[in-house]
Amino acid sequence: MLIDLVAAARPNFMKIAPLWKAFATESWAEPRIIHTGQHYDHAMSQVFFDELGMPAPHVNLGIGSGSHGQQTGRTLEVYEQQLVRDRPDLVIVVGDVNATAAASLAAAKLGVKIAHLEAGLRSFDRTMPEEINRKITDAICDYLWTPSEDADANLANEGIDHARVERVGNIMIDTLTMLMPSIMQEKVLETVGLGERQYALVTLHRPGNVDSADSLASLCGILLRCSDMVPLVFPLHPRTRAKLQDFGLLASLENSASVHLMPPLPYRAFMRLVAGSLAVITDSGGVQEETSFLGIPCLTLRQNTERPITITLGTNQLVEPCQLPQKLENALTSGRRATRIPLWDGKTAARIVKFVRERLLTL
Ligand code: UD1
């Protein structure tokens, strides 16, 4: 069974790594990584293939950066050609990036079976490009693999037949549990010059936070106030670095002794920083899950989340920028707490392989 695993951008690579490994050990399966090339810098792409033990992609579609229309359109066109040339039996798309929607559309039009891993998540905020991608993808995929009960409920509310839906759990936690011993060996804290639980970690890259000069300037001021309370470690996404530079804000962070700016980090070094932190300030989706799993307070600088279970059963809270200093102070006082979220157990890839073997192999 030829299985295309489609990956495009940094958060996708941690999701396909356990899938690739699990399918590669099955005699009946031939998994192939289709890299669309949305992320292409070494630090945003190749480094994850190296450390997550994945082979070079079967193909790289070379899509690169561009507007949403350009990225989505090019992926649709080029992946369609790939599908016609080298047709798989199943396409698996993950997450909610532009390629998730585009690759699904290409496969659906050619009648190739498609599964969406991380289906059913909804922020109910159509200003997020990812929300549009999620809805398009779930509307046209044959199999919807969800991480949690709320995702099943969202799909039911959209009138999607429950026969298409299978709750498989959270694939990111497979990668995290698999690599936890080697994550803890990482020496990144020494590089930063900070010890265990002596800092808060910051990640920001959402257009809603970083693309406008006003909102980014205000966030920088608030982060500088927070850094009076606790040192901040801040690995910069290329988009965020570029915007800080364009808006003349980079120097204010660089000149602060208690803000430690870093380049984009490999997976293990980044997770080592998460694991050693007092709290995490973020606008990422995956980081809300990883902190919840580890029991670390997570302050999400967004007005909504497509991952509400991280609030109800995890450690996440949505925070307005003006509330951040107070919320951070509270988080530093309250500290960590144990959490347990159903099916976030490191066995999601195994459940997916079982599903494909039992339900799809014979079709
Ligand atoms: C994309 C995803 C987002 C995900 C994020 C993780 C969509 C709609 N967005 O956003 O859901 O959370 O990835 O990073 O698919 N750039 C580089 N090097 C790279 C890649 C990008 O310098 O390897 C720069 C380019 O200037 C580019 C910008 O970053 O224009 C934004 O990249 P893009 O892929 O368009 O979106 P992300 O913000 O990364």
Side-chain angles (χ1 to χ4, degrees):
M1 185 176 197
L2 286 178
I3 304 172
D4 278 5
L5 303 173
V6 179
R10 183 167 64 178
N12 295 161
F13 305 131
M14 307 65 160
K15 293 172 192 165
I16 60 159
L19 282 185
W20 184 82
K21 282 205 172 76
F23 280 119
T25 57
E26 298 291 321
S27 58
W28 50 268
E30 189 180 336
R32 313 181 304 183
I33 298 172
I34 309 295
H35 192 328
T36 72
Q38 178 174 342
H39 284 177
Y40 42 82
D41 285 352
H42 184 84
M44 297 294 284
S45 174
Q46 184 58 44
V47 78
F48 299 100
F49 280 78
D50 297 342
E51 67 172 346
L52 299 174
M54 288 188 286
H58 180 62
V59 287
N60 188 320
L61 306 182
I63 302 305
S65 297
S67 69
H68 287 278
Q70 286 168 334
Q71 276 182 341
T72 310
R74 279 193 230 132
T75 309
L76 175 58
E77 182 178 354
V78 181
Y79 188 45
E80 179 185 63
Q81 292 163 1
Q82 165 68 21
L83 285 168
V84 169
R85 215 171 25 240
D86 194 0
R87 187 182 173 99
D89 300 297
L90 176 67
V91 172
I92 301 180
V93 296
V94 299
D96 54 18
V97 300
N98 287 336
T100 311
S104 305
L105 196 49
K109 292 279 182 83
L110 291 171
V112 180
K113 295 284 180 213
I114 328 156
H116 181 205
L117 176 55
E118 221 179 71
L121 297 186
R122 296 289 181 270
S123 64
F124 302 100
D125 176 0
R126 285 171 60 109
T127 65
M128 282 182 81
E130 292 83 358
E131 182 72 355
I132 315 271
N133 292 337
R134 292 180 199 116
K135 289 181 71 107
I136 291 171
T137 306
D138 288 342
I140 59 178
C141 283
D142 300 278
Y143 310 105
L144 300 174
W145 294 336
T146 62
S148 48
E149 205 176 351
D150 55 284
D152 296 13
N154 291 335
L155 294 172
N157 289 339
E158 288 174 17
I160 287 175
D161 181 356
H162 68 88
R164 286 166 60 202
V165 180
E166 181 80 9
R167 198 179 318 156
V168 295
N170 188 329
I171 194 73
M172 298 273 285
I173 304 305
D174 282 35
T175 309
L176 185 53
T177 51
M178 186 167 72
L179 294 183
M180 205 57 198
S182 63
I183 288 169
M184 296 315 287
Q185 304 290 315
E186 284 287 323
K187 298 286 176 240
V188 63
L189 294 186
E190 288 83 335
T191 314
V192 189
L194 288 166
E196 194 76 33
R197 304 202 192 187
Q198 288 182 356
Y199 61 91
L201 181 66
V202 183
T203 86
L204 290 176
H205 73 282
R206 296 245 159 243
N209 280 329
V210 306
D211 278 8
S212 106
D214 285 350
S215 91
L216 193 54
S218 149
L219 274 175
C220 285
I222 291 166
L223 287 175
L224 287 169
R225 271 171 58 205
C226 291
S227 74
D228 290 337
M229 219 180 311
V230 61
L232 300 181
V233 180
F234 189 179
L236 289 179
H237 185 285
R239 173 186 207 110
T240 311
R241 175 173 284 278
K243 297 292 177 190
L244 286 168
Q245 226 145 17
D246 290 353
F247 304 147
L249 296 165
L250 194 54
S252 66
L253 297 179
E254 275 174 343
N255 294 338
S256 160
S258 44
V259 178
H260 302 263
L261 297 182
M262 302 190 80
L265 293 171
Y267 176 76
R268 280 192 298 237
F270 178 74
M271 287 313 306
R272 180 68 189 91
L273 283 177
V274 174
S277 70
L278 290 162
V280 176
I281 299 164
T282 191
D283 59 9
S284 151
V287 174
Q288 296 169 43
E289 298 179 330
E290 289 155 340
T291 46
S292 282
F293 180 76
L294 296 172
I296 295 163
C298 181
L299 306 173
T300 297
L301 283 168
R302 286 175 45 187
Q303 288 172 346
N304 48 57
T305 178
E306 62 288 339
R307 293 162 162 90
I309 202 160
T310 59
I311 296 178
T312 52
L313 297 183
T315 55
N316 189 24
Q317 47 181 317
L318 301 178
V319 173
E320 293 284 347
C322 63
Q323 302 172 311
L324 186 65
Q326 184 59 54
K327 296 281 185 181
L328 179 60
E329 196 182 326
N330 298 348
L332 297 177
T333 318
S334 62
R336 298 186 180 197
R337 66 179 181 78
T339 56
R340 206 177 157 275
I341 304 181
L343 298 185
W344 291 27
D345 57 1
K347 295 178 183 154
T348 293
R351 282 189 283 272
I352 288 171
V353 169
K354 183 166 182 280
F355 178 97
V356 175
R357 188 179 56 235
E358 292 177 358
R359 304 267 299 275
L360 309 186
L361 194 54
T362 50
L363 291 181

